């Protein structure tokens, strides 16, 4: 795609139409791996922009956003801290255990009717620790069912099983360069 199918997929000439088909094939393949609907796969310039779109987009659509809980990755953390200024939310970091995983007991105590959004990494980019996404979703379902969950899956996509249907996660960010694709997608 970087050397041969670089045409504008929105144009009507033949090479552009082939690029549009390749884009549709990529969207279909990604949706299938995540148990998502094709119409919900949105291409951005990378993982950070995807995190920003998911976090700020969710909060901008809420009338009374409340509180955002997040884990430590800078892309997610910075978006949540910026959300304090943009949307008036309270942003609180979810504590981690010494092993590097989410402290589920602490998270349980943080969840409540004020919780609007929970943002977690699927896999920590620095330690490789796999976060307990299913358990986090279970706590959300029990204690803060109104809260959305965003998962930064950049390190985990295609390495750690994930399904929208099983977790009821609202958004998931990934990046092509982590799976041998071009940078900036």
């Amino acid at each position: 795609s970087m050397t041969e199918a670089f045409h504008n997929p929105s144009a009507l000439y033949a090479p552009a139409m082939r690029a549009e088909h390749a884009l549709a094939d990529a969207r279909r393949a990604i949706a299938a791996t995540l148990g998502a609907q094709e119409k919900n796969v949105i291409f951005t310039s990378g993982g950070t922009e995807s995190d920003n779109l998911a976090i700020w987009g969710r909060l901008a659509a809420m009338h009374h956003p409340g509180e955002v809980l997040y884990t430590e990755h800078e892309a997610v953390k910075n978006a949540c801290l910026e959300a304090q200024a943009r949307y008036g939310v309270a942003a609180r970091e979810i504590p981690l255990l010494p092993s590097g995983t989410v402290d589920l007991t602490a998270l349980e105590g943080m969840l409540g009717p004020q919780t609007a959004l929970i943002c977690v990494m699927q896999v920590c980019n620095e330690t490789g620790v796999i976060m307990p996404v299913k358990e986090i979703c279970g706590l959300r379902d029990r204690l803060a069912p109104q809260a959305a969950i965003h998962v930064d899956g950049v390190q985990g996509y295609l390495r750690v099983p994930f399904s929208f249907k099983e977790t009821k996660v609202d958004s998931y960010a990934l990046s092509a360069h982590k799976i041998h694709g071009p940078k900036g997608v």
Side-chain angles (χ1 to χ4, degrees), residues 36-112:
Q37 295 181 22
E38 289 176 39
K39 68 178 184 175
N40 293 331
V41 175
I42 300 168
F43 293 107
T44 67
S45 68
T48 298
E49 184 179 355
S50 295
D51 286 332
N52 291 347
L53 178 63
I55 294 166
W56 296 339
R58 171 64 69 169
L59 295 172
M62 301 176 111
H63 296 291
H64 304 286
E67 184 174 73
V68 178
L69 308 177
Y70 64 90
T71 56
E72 81 290 346
H73 188 270
E74 290 301 309
V76 170
K77 179 180 182 175
N78 290 341
C80 291
L81 294 175
E82 175 68 23
Q84 287 185 125
R86 286 184 183 209
Y87 307 109
V89 300
R92 295 176 43 197
E93 189 166 356
I94 302 167
L96 302 178
L97 296 170
S99 64
T101 190
V102 167
D103 183 337
L104 293 172
T105 302
L107 176 59
E108 186 173 10
M110 297 170 81
L111 293 171

Side-chain angles (χ1 to χ4, degrees), residues 29-36 41 157-158 162-166 172 174:
I30 291 167
T33 64
L34 296 171
V41 175
Y157 180 64
L158 295 182
F162 179 85
S163 168
F164 275 98
K165 292 175 185 172
E166 290 177 19
Y172 183 94
L174 59 102

